[in-house]
Amino acid sequence: MHFLQWALPQMHMRWPGFRKVRRQVCKRIDRRMKLLGLTRIDQYRDYLETHPEEWATLDSLCRITISRFSRDKGVFEALADTVLPELVRGISERGGDTLRAWSAGCASGEEPYTLAILWQTEIQPNYPRMKLDLTATDSDMQMLQRAREARYALGSLKELPAASRDRAFSPKDGLYDLKPVFRRDVTFLEQDVRETQPQGRFDLVFCRNLVFTYFDDELQAELLGRILGTMVPGAA
């Protein structure tokens, strides 16, 4: 714990965001130390100070991959009831036919796929001419591969309404495969939000679970400016 409190600020990350997930990070650091032949955390700290290139490895060890469908249930309820209908009406008034969304830090795809399911089950039936174009980005290629495979354990679906789960997934070999129709609107890109953003302008951006949870105030402010630059007027 004390090591993370020392190291995280040097990578523009905030300790409070890691309190509940620190065990995941600490296990990765333990494995890295064994690979380096180190037995004590103070030795790893000394190693970082004498091998500056190791900071990039530590940064990769601090990526949080815990996610699930319909995480922050109230957010998705607000999207269905208010936000998405208002955005769709605004796009229609401007003569458009596509809602463009971006999920930053999408991990293994639960967040963007939740939006895709919500869109097809609750929004598109009321606005059949409106399309969804959803870009999902993450810096972890392994997580993106899992997202593209779209196979999940039941625990990842526990907060998704049963009707949506039954409609969107096919049970197979103890896992749940997302049906192709719910994947078609999602494009996955390997990007680190701290370095680059996807091209184009967006009507809706998901970034709280990454930018405003794990990064420090200085980096949050910097990234907020960049994210706002990708959003159309009236975006959410």
Side-chain angles (χ1 to χ4, degrees):
M1 182 176 73
H2 294 299
F3 171 79
L4 287 178
Q5 289 174 329
W6 167 78
L8 289 171
Q10 301 190 57
M11 297 183 290
H12 290 287
M13 298 181 186
R14 53 193 298 269
W15 161 247
F18 284 82
R19 284 176 179 166
K20 294 182 179 180
V21 295
R22 65 184 184 274
R23 292 182 180 178
Q24 182 186 98
V25 175
C26 289
K27 287 180 180 179
R28 295 173 184 165
I29 293 174
D30 286 342
R31 288 195 294 267
R32 177 61 177 168
M33 288 172 55
K34 290 177 181 178
L35 186 64
L36 294 171
L38 306 175
T39 58
R40 301 193 315 273
I41 194 65
D42 62 305
Q43 292 177 324
Y44 187 53
R45 177 169 173 166
D46 291 342
Y47 188 87
L48 283 163
E49 293 182 335
T50 57
H51 298 77
E53 70 278 4
E54 180 66 17
W55 284 100
T57 299
L58 179 58
D59 180 273
S60 70
L61 299 178
C62 292
R63 294 170 183 166
I64 303 304
T65 59
I66 297 172
S67 188
R68 58 190 179 275
F69 281 83
S70 201
R71 181 181 179 182
D72 300 323
K73 185 176 180 180
V75 170
F76 286 98
E77 290 176 346
L79 283 168
D81 295 341
T82 306
V83 178
L84 288 173
E86 289 182 356
L87 289 175
V88 166
R89 286 192 290 268
I91 294 168
S92 297
E93 290 171 0
R94 297 193 297 270
D97 64 356
T98 303
L99 186 147
R100 299 194 70 240
W102 170 25
S103 172
C106 66
S108 47
E110 290 90 340
E111 181 177 80
Y113 284 143
T114 299
L115 178 60
I117 294 169
L118 173 63
W119 177 267
Q120 291 199 38
T121 57
E122 299 191 39
I123 302 301
Q124 198 162 50
N126 297 319
Y127 304 93
R129 297 182 180 179
M130 189 65 57
K131 294 174 289 187
L132 174 66
D133 181 0
L134 176 49
T135 300
T137 63
D138 201 274
S139 59
D140 190 323
M141 194 61 192
Q142 185 177 0
M143 287 294 102
L144 290 172
Q145 181 59 36
R146 289 177 57 185
R148 294 186 179 104
E149 292 172 356
R151 304 192 74 202
Y152 300 94
L154 181 59
S156 296
L157 312 177
K158 62 183 180 180
E159 295 184 45
L160 193 66
S164 296
R165 182 192 65 208
D166 294 343
R167 179 172 177 180
F169 291 88
S170 299
K172 183 179 180 181
D173 300 328
L175 297 174
Y176 288 77
D177 289 358
L178 184 65
K179 296 177 181 178
V181 68
F182 295 98
R183 308 185 198 185
R184 66 187 183 192
D185 299 325
V186 185
T187 300
F188 292 99
L189 299 176
E190 183 182 5
Q191 288 185 352
D192 189 326
V193 69
R194 295 170 295 183
E195 299 174 1
T196 187
Q197 294 77 43
Q199 295 181 346
R201 306 289 299 280
F202 297 95
D203 304 286
L204 178 66
V205 175
F206 291 86
C207 60
R208 183 177 71 86
N209 289 330
L210 173 64
V211 175
F212 298 104
T213 299
Y214 302 113
F215 298 154
D216 67 12
D217 292 346
E218 180 182 351
L219 186 53
Q220 285 182 20
E222 178 185 341
L223 293 179
L224 177 59
R226 296 185 200 173
I227 290 168
L228 289 175
T230 72
M231 300 172 73
V232 301

